[in-house]
Amino acid sequence: MNEKGLEAVALSIRSLSMDAIQKAKSGHPGLPLGCAELASVLYGEIMKHNPADSKWVDRDRFVLSAGHGSMLLYSILHLAGYKVTLDDIKSFRQVGSHCPGHPEYGWTDGVENTSGPLGQGVALAVGMAIAESMLEAKYNTPHHKIVDHYTYALVGEGCLQEGVSNEACSLAGNLQLEKLIVFYDENKISIDGSTDITFTDDIQKRYESYGWQVFRGSMYNMSEIQELVENAKRGKKPTLIILKSVIGKFAPKQGTAAVHGEPLGEADVAETKKNLGLNPEEFFFVSPDAYKYFEEKKAKYAKAEEDWKAEFEAWSKENPELRKEWDAAWSGQPSGEACDPVYKIGDNVATRAASGAMINTIAQKYSSFVGGSADLQGSNKTAMKCDGGTFSKENRKGRTLEYGIREFGMASEAAGMLLHGGLRPFCATYLVFSDYMRASIRLAAIMKIPALYVLTHDSIFVGEDGPTHQPIEHLSALRAIPNLQVLRPGDAEETVEAWNIAMASKDHPVVLALTRQNVPVYAKEDSNWKEDIKKGAYIVQKGSDNPDVTVLATGSEVNMALEAAKLVTDKKVRVVSVLDRNLFDEQSDSVKECVIGKNSRVVVAEAGVHYGWEGFAKKNDCFCIDRFGESGPAKEVAKALNFTAEALAAFINK
């Protein structure tokens, strides 16, 4: 270990971080000042990576879960040779800068994930570790190891207080993800002061109870950190390394909340520089020894990737079929063949059941397709019958994931798997529990990753479980998330097409909202409906070239609208299935007019709040449910809420 070089790296991290934050007049200096040694030894000596190729698939991953400390990451990425320039750092937290306030995936070279909302980072890291273990079991052979890397994460007290970290770390222990190593920056400080105000958990005991191995050390002993990592790698469990630290180390107010979330101030920056032996009048100083240290490492980093490429080519020659699967998986292409399920008019099928059939079809087409449910596999119809079984500590080849009753953690872990690459995961629960997942869904939308959410039991027709389980505002709430596609198919045939649309997504997450109850497959007058539905909506029943009323319906309410239309005798009624309201709204006026009709009165039929439909219909033309549900058999609940085909017919006639 080149201690002189690493000390120069740590010094430079502190210098760059405090100056960038001070110049921006915004940021969190405490973590970069307090954890500079960890970043130095991690990127310098421990991690397998190549700054010249930040997308090398067998690299170690690093997740800064405590994303507010982003200058720590930007500084080490710059010093190590990633595409983060000194000018980028000087424009920290400015519009368009490659060093935004919190790390953003796809924006800054070397950043593995978007982080900021505390706790989600470590949950993403758990997903990455799951992906590594799945791919390792699938592709490695007795002669060649082409998947062999670790996932590292840095967490703080805030991350460990957030519930999502507990959900994810509990599952990681259950699965014995031995290639997951998490560093805990134990400084005992948060925004409001000492964490003892609210947080006195025995973290070591908690993580040992999860099934982790736990080690302790100092944040400022780099050789000890390296030794602790080596000890971690000899174990067969995920590892938490608790590193005692001082927040804002070397600053006049070190060890206090004052250095956590705001610039040090010009006077304290100058004093900190004096404490570090730096010139207070020199800004954005980088020690020549820091650059030299990583310059001397370049050949080693490059050789690690070249050695892997040679191993990969040898493996490819010996395993041509596996190589085909590998290429398909990493490019998001199918590796097999299967026919989509076929339904006939009148088949009575819940869209969750049609989704289940489609999941198994996709699993045959895509060997990279994996996923599971939050303890609702039977209800969500997400069981995969393909080879592999359930992923577990004994069976790393399993393609079905049992997430347990941990919806937030589940969504974050699925996103982490997607970020890792090589897999296309989905996760599932009831639509009403998307409330638990919302923060993770939002983060996936920000990252522009094609996460898949199967959300069943999508309306009051859940029935007896009552208002706590009957989603009302959830479709509108999900549609309000930018870059999230929400699909609510009306029958089994539309469900097949919804899945095909979802699998085609490349830059956005997708929700499939599905029925618990059976719904008949209906005739579709639009002969080109499979193409037209890709615009968000299509005509199911034309009614007339110039309809008096057009009903825009989603999900199970399409059948309701068709039944209601039969009961309306003095008006020409058109029925439109709106699979994706937001996408339909984005279409040109001419497309929307063609679907809706030129002078038609528009009525909306959806078993949820009316919010968001105002662009199509007046509030008093929305046949919706702006209240919570009732407990009872589904049909009786519908009658109690006056949400029936007969009531819709009367609504159309008014």
Side-chain angles (χ1 to χ4, degrees):
M1 178 187 290
N2 179 353
E3 291 189 8
K4 180 183 176 183
L6 287 173
E7 288 170 0
V9 172
L11 177 68
S12 301
I13 289 172
R14 291 189 168 101
S15 168
L16 293 173
S17 296
M18 74 174 103
D19 280 347
I21 292 166
Q22 189 60 40
K23 183 181 178 187
K25 296 182 172 58
S26 175
H28 300 71
L31 187 146
L33 291 174
C35 299
E37 281 78 7
L38 173 62
S40 302
V41 71
L42 188 61
Y43 276 80
E45 300 291 332
I46 295 172
M47 282 175 53
K48 179 175 72 172
H49 66 125
N50 183 11
D53 181 7
S54 63
K55 299 302 181 185
W56 171 27
V57 296
D58 201 41
R59 69 190 181 279
D60 288 344
R61 272 73 169 169
F62 173 67
V63 173
L64 180 64
S65 187
H68 57 272
S70 57
M71 269 311 307
L72 175 79
L73 182 55
Y74 302 145
S75 297
I76 192 62
L77 291 174
H78 167 70
L79 296 168
Y82 288 84
K83 296 179 182 69
V84 178
T85 68
L86 200 55
D87 284 340
D88 290 331
I89 288 174
K90 289 178 181 179
S91 63
F92 175 60
R93 287 196 164 214
Q94 304 309 301
V95 174
S97 171
H98 284 285
C99 294
H102 291 81
E104 295 182 21
Y105 172 74
W107 183 244
T108 308
D109 190 46
V111 169
E112 300 284 0
N113 62 285
T114 297
S115 53
L118 294 178
Q120 284 200 60
V122 69
L124 293 170
V126 170
M128 293 177 187
I130 290 173
E132 192 278 342
S133 62
M134 281 185 161
L135 296 174
E136 183 179 354
K138 180 177 179 62
Y139 292 111
N140 286 354
T141 67
H143 300 107
H144 300 287
K145 292 180 73 172
I146 60 165
V147 181
D148 184 19
H149 54 267
Y150 285 80
T151 301
Y152 299 94
L154 173 60
V155 302
E157 273 91 1
C159 295
L160 299 190
Q161 289 180 59
E162 290 287 358
V164 65
S165 67
N166 304 321
E167 293 181 24
C169 292
S170 174
L171 181 63
N174 173 270
L175 295 173
Q176 291 188 7
L177 300 175
E178 69 270 14
K179 287 192 172 180
L180 174 63
I181 299 175
V182 176
F183 302 98
Y184 170 28
D185 171 25
E186 188 187 44
N187 60 52
K188 298 290 187 179
I189 294 294
S190 60
I191 292 175
D192 284 346
S194 169
T195 53
D196 288 341
I197 300 169
T198 58
F199 187 54
T200 53
D201 300 20
D202 188 323
I203 297 300
Q204 179 168 345
K205 287 182 179 178
R206 186 210 287 180
Y207 272 74
E208 286 173 345
S209 75
Y210 288 158
W212 291 50
Q213 54 185 1
V214 181
F215 301 114
R216 287 185 173 271
S218 168
M219 184 68 78
Y220 309 112
N221 187 331
M222 289 185 277
S223 61
E224 181 185 43
I225 292 172
Q226 190 172 13
E227 184 179 340
L228 289 172
V229 170
E230 291 304 315
N231 289 341
K233 290 180 177 181
R234 284 190 281 270
K236 295 298 182 183
K237 299 177 179 180
T239 303
L240 182 71
I241 298 178
I242 302 174
L243 298 174
K244 186 67 178 175
S245 69
V246 178
I247 192 170
K249 189 168 175 63
F250 294 106
K253 296 174 184 175
Q254 67 173 14
T256 71
V259 297
H260 171 82
E262 60 186 35
L264 299 179
E266 291 181 4
D268 280 10
V269 167
E271 194 64 29
T272 305
K273 288 181 179 180
K274 289 179 183 178
N275 293 339
L276 289 166
L278 298 175
N279 178 2
E281 302 300 320
E282 186 173 358
F283 299 95
F284 296 97
F285 168 80
V286 176
S287 168
D289 287 336
Y291 284 138
K292 181 182 177 183
Y293 172 84
F294 279 110
E295 186 67 31
E296 292 174 349
K297 290 283 184 180
K298 274 186 178 180
K300 177 185 175 183
Y301 297 147
K303 186 177 186 302
E305 184 172 359
E306 289 303 317
D307 288 347
W308 177 83
K309 286 179 178 178
E311 182 82 357
F312 184 73
E313 287 306 314
W315 168 84
S316 298
K317 289 178 181 178
E318 289 185 18
N319 305 279
E321 293 305 313
L322 275 179
R323 173 61 190 271
K324 287 180 183 177
E325 284 195 31
W326 172 280
D327 289 343
W330 285 91
S331 62
Q333 298 300 312
S335 56
E337 295 182 358
C339 295
D340 289 348
V342 176
Y343 301 93
K344 62 181 183 295
I345 306 305
D347 285 348
N348 210 25
V349 184
T351 56
R352 62 169 174 157
S355 169
M358 194 60 182
I359 283 172
N360 280 281
T361 297
I362 294 168
Q364 294 177 60
K365 292 181 182 179
Y366 295 83
S367 65
S368 58
F369 188 66
V370 300
S373 169
D375 196 51
L376 289 169
Q377 186 182 107
S379 293
N380 295 149
K381 305 299 181 186
T382 53
M384 288 196 287
K385 301 170 185 176
C386 54
D387 294 338
T390 299
F391 177 79
S392 67
K393 60 188 177 184
E394 296 87 12
N395 179 29
R396 297 300 200 208
K397 292 186 177 182
R399 292 172 63 183
T400 294
L401 285 148
E402 292 281 6
Y403 287 106
I405 308 165
R406 308 179 180 101
E407 291 87 356
F408 192 176
M410 169 185 71
S412 298
E413 289 144 13
M417 296 168 68
L418 198 55
L419 289 170
H420 179 281
L423 296 172
R424 187 70 191 276
F426 73 87
C427 60
T429 185
Y430 291 165
L431 176 59
V432 76
F433 298 141
S434 63
D435 282 342
Y436 291 148
M437 303 163 64
R438 184 178 176 83
S440 181
I441 294 173
R442 181 176 186 269
L443 200 64
I446 290 173
M447 291 190 285
K448 299 180 181 179
I449 57 174
L452 301 171
Y453 310 104
V454 178
L455 303 178
T456 70
H457 295 59
D458 68 349
S459 71
I460 59 164
F461 294 102
V462 169
E464 290 86 351
D465 281 330
T468 61
H469 282 54
Q470 294 168 8
I472 295 295
E473 73 278 20
H474 298 77
L475 287 168
S476 290
L478 289 167
R479 288 175 182 142
I481 298 175
N483 203 44
L484 174 67
Q485 186 170 27
V486 180
L487 305 177
R488 191 175 184 229
D491 68 2
E493 286 188 324
E494 287 187 16
T495 304
V496 171
E497 298 311 312
W499 260 111
N500 287 328
I501 291 169
M503 288 299 293
S505 65
K506 301 295 183 186
D507 61 359
H508 61 271
V510 182
V511 164
L512 292 100
L514 306 165
T515 68
R516 176 199 185 194
Q517 77 277 20
N518 290 338
V519 289
V521 175
Y522 39 76
K524 299 161 180 69
E525 291 188 14
D526 181 352
S527 60
N528 197 41
W529 74 270
K530 290 185 180 180
E531 286 301 312
D532 289 340
I533 200 173
K534 295 175 184 176
K535 298 175 183 176
Y538 73 99
I539 299 170
V540 176
Q541 179 176 288
K542 192 173 184 180
S544 167
D545 289 336
N546 297 294
D548 298 311
V549 178
T550 297
V551 181
L552 301 181
T554 76
S556 54
E557 287 74 76
V558 179
N559 264 294
M560 176 189 289
L562 291 169
E563 291 177 32
K566 295 176 185 176
L567 302 175
V568 177
T569 58
D570 61 345
K571 289 183 175 67
K572 294 172 287 186
V573 178
R574 176 174 294 183
V575 175
V576 172
S577 175
V578 184
L579 176 70
D580 180 343
R581 190 192 71 191
N582 289 351
L583 180 59
F584 185 48
D585 195 27
E586 291 170 5
Q587 302 304 308
S588 67
D589 289 344
S590 61
V591 168
K592 285 188 276 191
E593 184 179 289
C594 182
V595 173
I596 294 172
K598 190 170 184 179
N599 298 306
S600 179
R601 172 190 166 208
V602 176
V603 168
V604 169
E606 182 168 76
V609 294
H610 78 277
Y611 298 113
W613 284 105
E614 295 90 343
F616 292 100
K618 299 174 183 178
K619 181 180 178 181
N620 60 5
D621 277 332
C622 290
F623 188 73
C624 296
I625 304 174
D626 288 312
R627 54 153 290 185
F628 295 120
E630 298 281 352
S631 179
K635 290 183 179 180
E636 297 305 313
V637 171
K639 288 179 183 178
L641 298 183
N642 202 32
F643 197 76
T644 63
E646 292 77 13
L648 176 55
F651 191 86
I652 292 170
N653 272 323
K654 73 178 183 179

